[in-house]
């Protein structure tokens, strides 16, 4: 029994030991298996191949993709929450500082000193041919409410053209005054003035005997007195009116009276405007003699006119549709007549301000007067037949614009038809130098006005250049081809005229030049005691007249100036036998001041 027990007991002890070893081996094996599994998985991850992911369309979320939150918060509006009172305070402790900021200096642009403008000036000068010049402008008032002023001008010359038998001195004196009143809703102005002009009938080629020459008084004096005014309304369909009353007379007791008033209305319709100008024009005149007999010549006309216009404005298009209608009455001959004319103009911007097309057709009834004739030709005789000119139409087309920002141009072609167009033609001489004449203008040294129906084909061109603030240039040319109905030529009308002008100013120096070209003109001269049909056509040669001016500005108040007229010394004749003065030099000063 004892041996059996011992035999069974030993195997039990061995098995426990093996079991512990087996546990240990199992744990180690399990750990190794786990580690191997992990490594094997890592190895599989590393063996993954790269794939390309192609994005067909980027994701663009839409509002419909979002889910609306349907739950609403519950807010207790009954409960009140008291705000907690908070008191703020600071604990200020002074801190010593040694930092002192530097003062900044203001920087400004250097500006040129502003030119002072004065309201009054006096100018005086003197030139060769004993030619004094005086001009003054004085005015005073409150620029907000009223203005009162006067303008005085005098220019004369003692003459001195060589080889003349008669005096060639002249004088022109004029005084104008005005008063202006300014109001919030309207402005008005009154004008008044007087003018006196002295001329001489010196243009004759008759060789006078000394006794007859001494008996001729060649002076002709024109006097003009006028009063007028205008009124302008700012916020009314009645825009205003102008009025003028004038009396013109001469040294031979000729007299002309004229009264003219022209009111204006304007009505806006949507974005367009309709305006109308009215006219009342009364002219009454008298010459104490005519050229052949001692019978006087009278004329008087009353013209009533209206000119309605409708203006259309679009982006690049401007059209004016209008007409001029007149009722004219010849009061001396007791005849009446209606006249109607077109007044249509249009402009179209094809390329902004670079190229603008212009076209139109206009006409007018021209009231000729003795005064207007003396402005065109001061050597007319006081024996004129004054009539109306029926300017039936002037059709034109052209273009204007800018070749560059500082270069402008304007040109057009036109065709004009005029009935009773006035032409100046020399009066026949009533002496050969040995016979006495009754009046000084009867020595073939005056001009009559005759009328003819004339058609004119014309061209006009202009160019302007503003090269800089100091220099600008302007050039113009006019060409007219006249076709007369009864007369042989369009007497004393040049075919070509042209002007070139330039101005320069820098610092205190200024200068200017103007070149005028006048083309050939023709006149009809009848010798003494010869029938009018035996007259001859005389040409007045073309000429160039260069005028120069310049000066120096000493201060805002004082300026010195000089003028050279007919600088080339041309001895040309604008009318037959009327030679102009050659080189004319004049210098003076201008002083500006405030009252």
């Amino acid at each position: 029994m004892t041996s059996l027990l011992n035999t069974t007991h030993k195997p039990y002890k061995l098995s426990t030991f093996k079991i512990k070893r087996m546990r240990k081996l199992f744990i180690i094996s399990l750990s190794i298996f786990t580690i191997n599994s992990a490594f094997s998985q890592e190895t599989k991850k590393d063996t993954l191949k790269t794939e390309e992911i192609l994005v067909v369309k980027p994701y663009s979320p839409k509002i419909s993709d979002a889910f609306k939150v349907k739950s609403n918060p519950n807010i207790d509006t009954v409960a009140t929450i008291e705000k907690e009172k908070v008191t703020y305070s600071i604990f200020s402790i002074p801190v010593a500082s040694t930092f002192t900021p530097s003062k900044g200096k203001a920087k400004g642009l250097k500006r040129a000193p502003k030119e002072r403008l004065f309201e009054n000036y006096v100018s005086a000068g003197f030139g060769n041919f004993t030619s004094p010049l005086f001009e003054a402008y004085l005015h005073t008032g409150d620029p907000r409410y009223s203005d009162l002023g006067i303008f005085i001008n005098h220019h004369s010359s003692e003459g001195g053209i060589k080889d003349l038998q008669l005096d060639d001195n002249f004088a022109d004196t004029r005084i104008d005054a005005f008063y202006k009143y300014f109001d919030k809703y309207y402005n008005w102005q009154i004008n008044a003035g007087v003018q006196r002009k002295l001329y001489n009938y010196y243009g004759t080629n008759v060789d006078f005997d000394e006794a007859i020459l001494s008996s001729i008084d060649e002076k002709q004096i024109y006097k003009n007195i006028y009063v007028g005014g205008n009124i302008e309304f700012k916020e009314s369909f009645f825009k205003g009116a102008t009025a003028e009353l004038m009396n013109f007379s001469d040294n031979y007791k000729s007299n002309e009276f004229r009264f003219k008033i022209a009111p204006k209305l304007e009505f806006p319709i949507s974005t367009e405007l309709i305006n109308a100008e009215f006219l009342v024009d009364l002219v009454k005149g008298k010459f104490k003699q005519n050229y052949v007999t001692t019978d006087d010549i009278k004329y008087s006309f009353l013209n009533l006119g209206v000119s309605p216009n409708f203006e259309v404005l679009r982006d690049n298009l401007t059209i004016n549709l209008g007409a001029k209608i007149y009722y004219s009455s010849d009061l001396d001959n007791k005849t009446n007549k209606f006249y109607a004319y077109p007044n249509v103009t249009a402009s179209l911007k094809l390329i902004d301000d670079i190229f603008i097309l212009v076209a139109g057709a206009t006409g007018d009834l021209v009231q000729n007067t003795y005064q207007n004739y003396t402005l065109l030709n001061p050597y007319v005789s006081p024996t004129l037949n004054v009539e109306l000119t029926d300017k039936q139409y002037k059709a034109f087309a052209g273009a204007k614009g800018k070749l560059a920002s500082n270069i402008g141009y304007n040109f057009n072609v036109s065709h004009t038809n005029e009935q009773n167009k006035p032409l100046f033609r020399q009066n026949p001489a009533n002496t050969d130098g040995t016979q006495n004449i009754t009046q000084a203008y009867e020595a073939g040294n005056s001009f009559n006005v005759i009328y003819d129906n004339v058609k004119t084909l014309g061209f006009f061109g202009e160019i302007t250049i503003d090269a800089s603030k100091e220099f600008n240039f302007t050039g113009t040319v006019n060409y007219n081809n006249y076709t007369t109905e009864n007369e042989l030529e369009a007497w004393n009308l040049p075919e070509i005229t042209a002007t070139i002008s330039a101005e320069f100013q820098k610092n205190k120096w200024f200068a200017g030049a103007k070149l005028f070209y006048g083309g050939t003109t023709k006149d009809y001269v009848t010798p003494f005691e010869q029938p009018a049909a035996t007259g001859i056509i005389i040409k007045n040669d073309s000429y160039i007249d260069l005028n120069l001016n310049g000066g120096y500005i000493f201060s805002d108040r004082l300026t010195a100036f000089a003028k050279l007229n007919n600088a080339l010394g041309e001895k040309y004749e604008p009318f037959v036998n009327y030679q102009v003065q050659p080189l004319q030099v004049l210098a003076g000063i201008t002083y500006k001041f405030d009252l």
Side-chain angles (χ1 to χ4, degrees), residues 198-247:
L198 167 65
Y199 291 95
N200 287 277
Y201 292 110
Y202 67 87
T204 179
N205 60 357
V206 175
D207 188 11
F208 290 99
D209 289 346
E210 190 64 32
I212 296 177
L213 186 63
S214 60
S215 66
I216 298 176
D217 182 9
E218 62 269 30
K219 290 194 299 294
Q220 170 64 295
I221 300 176
Y222 300 116
K223 290 162 283 189
N224 183 38
I225 301 174
Y226 78 93
V227 60
N230 63 76
I231 187 169
E232 177 184 356
F233 293 91
K234 299 179 181 180
E235 298 179 1
S236 173
F237 70 92
F238 179 59
K239 288 301 177 181
T242 60
E244 187 176 39
L245 179 64
M246 182 172 53
N247 181 260

Side-chain angles (χ1 to χ4, degrees), residues 132-134 152-157 169-175 194-199 222 375:
L133 172 69
F134 177 79
I152 303 172
N153 179 272
H154 172 80
H155 183 212
S156 62
S157 174
N169 62 308
F170 70 87
D172 185 1
T173 304
R174 179 170 183 170
I175 301 175
V194 58
Q195 185 175 22
R196 179 184 183 273
K197 288 184 177 183
L198 167 65
Y199 291 95
Y222 300 116
L375 295 177

Side-chain angles (χ1 to χ4, degrees), residues 542-588:
S542 60
Y543 61 90
I544 295 177
D545 192 341
L546 175 62
N547 300 322
L548 304 174
N549 68 84
Y552 182 78
I553 303 173
F554 291 99
S555 65
D556 292 341
R557 294 179 180 270
L558 186 63
T559 301
F561 65 88
K563 297 181 179 180
L564 277 74
N565 293 334
N566 196 8
L568 300 178
E570 292 280 331
K571 298 180 180 180
Y572 65 88
E573 298 179 356
F575 298 100
V576 176
N577 298 327
Y578 278 93
Q579 180 188 322
V580 300
Q581 292 179 347
L583 176 64
Q584 306 154 42
V585 182
L586 186 145

